[in-house]
Amino acid sequence: MGGNLMAISNDLQAIQYNPAALSGNTTKMWDINYVDHLIDFKAGQFSYTQPVRKLGNFYSSLMYFSYGKFDETDEFGDATGRTFGASEFALSFGISNPLGKGFDYGLGVKYLYSSLDNFNASALALDAGLIYKVQWVQDLTLGISILNFGKTLDNYTSQSEKLPLILQIGFAKRLEHLPLLLTGSFQDMALGSDDIVDYLKRFAIGGEFDINEIIKFRLGYQNQINQAVKPIGRTILSGFSLGLGVLWRDFRFDYAYTNFGDLGSQNRLGISGAF
């Protein structure tokens, strides 16, 4: 859906975009995702949430990313015969709760760890978000989140580095006469720019169409991906994504495909459940 989950409620996968997503949830939920990324990059994620009476919805999540293996070379570019790897993971915990008058809030803390061969770095960060159910428009929600607010604990070098702060806003609207959930957002708004038009180019749109009570079809577009990988003088479908969700009893099976143009494509598989 183009990463447009900032204003989606009661979806465990949405906590990666807005920690307020689980406010009002009444069931225990879990999900497992696997991503076949570009080149030989791989990623995985496991999340779990449990509502606690009078306290709110607590969640935990572990995300892992592997960059695969690399051939080591010397300063002249000649192979040494040695290989090394690179990987990262993020372990997060958080809570979602009602705030009153249509507002929900979420707060999360996460530990980040990155390794490159024999070197490593780590950081501690906070995530925060709000979701507002618009009172005068039916089935319209607005969301805003700020992610990675924190600092590094250990750095790869003697120079301290900053975390990539993420600010994003979005909406979700379920149409009245069509089985469609329409979503949209502006992403990476914390990145500075001297051109106001550059901020407007950071838009994404998406939707989820209910084919029936069991099957859901999803489509999305991220303009930033399109602009980043589009070759000069060519028009390609980079930045577009599509997916399918299948509901069976208390389980949901998801598949998503994202086009990165000449760089390749990304495939995501997921399974989630409630009990």
Side-chain angles (χ1 to χ4, degrees):
M1 293 172 61
N4 291 297
L5 299 182
M6 280 70 78
I8 300 294
S9 298
N10 295 321
D11 190 323
L12 185 53
Q13 295 184 26
I15 61 171
Q16 306 300 333
Y17 301 86
N18 191 333
L22 297 174
S23 177
N25 172 59
T26 59
T27 61
K28 300 176 184 178
M29 295 190 297
W30 58 269
D31 76 57
I32 300 174
N33 289 278
Y34 170 76
V35 182
D36 182 15
H37 216 295
L38 302 177
I39 316 176
D40 58 349
F41 298 167
K42 310 292 182 183
Q45 174 192 329
F46 172 76
S47 302
Y48 174 79
T49 182
Q50 178 169 334
V52 178
R53 187 177 179 184
K54 296 182 179 180
L55 294 179
N57 277 269
F58 290 88
Y59 70 82
S60 61
S61 176
L62 176 63
M63 181 181 297
Y64 178 79
F65 198 102
S66 172
Y67 294 93
K69 294 294 183 179
F70 299 88
D71 294 325
E72 184 185 67
T73 61
D74 59 22
E75 62 269 29
F76 303 106
D78 297 324
T80 65
R82 178 178 176 270
T83 62
F84 63 94
S87 62
E88 299 171 337
F89 78 82
L91 178 63
S92 60
F93 300 90
I95 184 173
S96 298
N97 252 329
L99 191 59
K101 295 184 179 180
F103 284 94
D104 297 327
Y105 78 90
L107 294 172
V109 59
K110 59 188 177 185
Y111 174 74
L112 307 156
Y113 181 85
S114 177
S115 66
L116 175 63
D117 195 11
N118 296 320
F119 302 91
N120 59 74
S122 62
L124 195 63
L126 295 174
D127 296 339
L130 287 172
I131 292 180
Y132 175 62
K133 301 177 180 65
V134 178
Q135 306 297 299
W136 59 91
V137 180
Q138 185 177 0
D139 295 327
L140 174 63
T141 56
L142 307 176
I144 181 171
S145 63
I146 183 168
L147 310 176
N148 298 335
F149 182 78
K151 63 175 297 182
T152 56
L153 303 176
D154 297 300
N155 296 275
Y156 275 118
T157 65
S158 58
Q159 181 178 354
S160 179
E161 300 180 21
K162 294 183 178 180
L163 294 179
L165 189 67
I166 298 176
L167 173 64
Q168 46 198 2
I169 56 176
F171 77 90
K173 175 69 169 74
R174 186 165 294 280
L175 302 188
E176 186 174 356
H177 301 292
L178 191 67
L180 175 65
L181 176 65
L182 183 65
T183 61
S185 64
F186 286 100
Q187 303 172 356
D188 292 334
M189 299 301 285
L191 293 176
S193 177
D194 296 328
D195 186 1
I196 188 64
V197 177
D198 182 61
Y199 289 98
L200 299 178
K201 290 181 179 179
R202 301 173 189 176
F203 73 90
I205 56 175
E208 180 182 72
F209 189 84
D210 295 336
I211 297 178
N212 53 41
E213 294 182 355
I214 298 177
I215 301 176
K216 299 177 181 293
F217 175 74
R218 306 179 181 114
L219 185 67
Y221 171 74
Q222 290 175 282
N223 191 56
Q224 281 183 284
I225 293 179
N226 179 272
Q227 296 299 307
V229 304
K230 182 176 67 175
I232 298 176
R234 289 177 53 196
T235 301
I236 58 177
L237 297 178
S238 58
F240 282 91
S241 59
L242 55 87
L244 195 68
V246 178
L247 305 178
W248 181 71
R249 296 184 179 180
D250 293 328
F251 300 95
R252 189 181 78 191
F253 302 90
D254 295 303
Y255 168 75
Y257 167 88
T258 303
N259 187 345
F260 284 83
D262 292 341
L263 296 181
S265 61
Q266 178 194 89
N267 294 277
R268 181 189 301 266
L269 295 172
I271 178 174
S272 57
F275 58 95

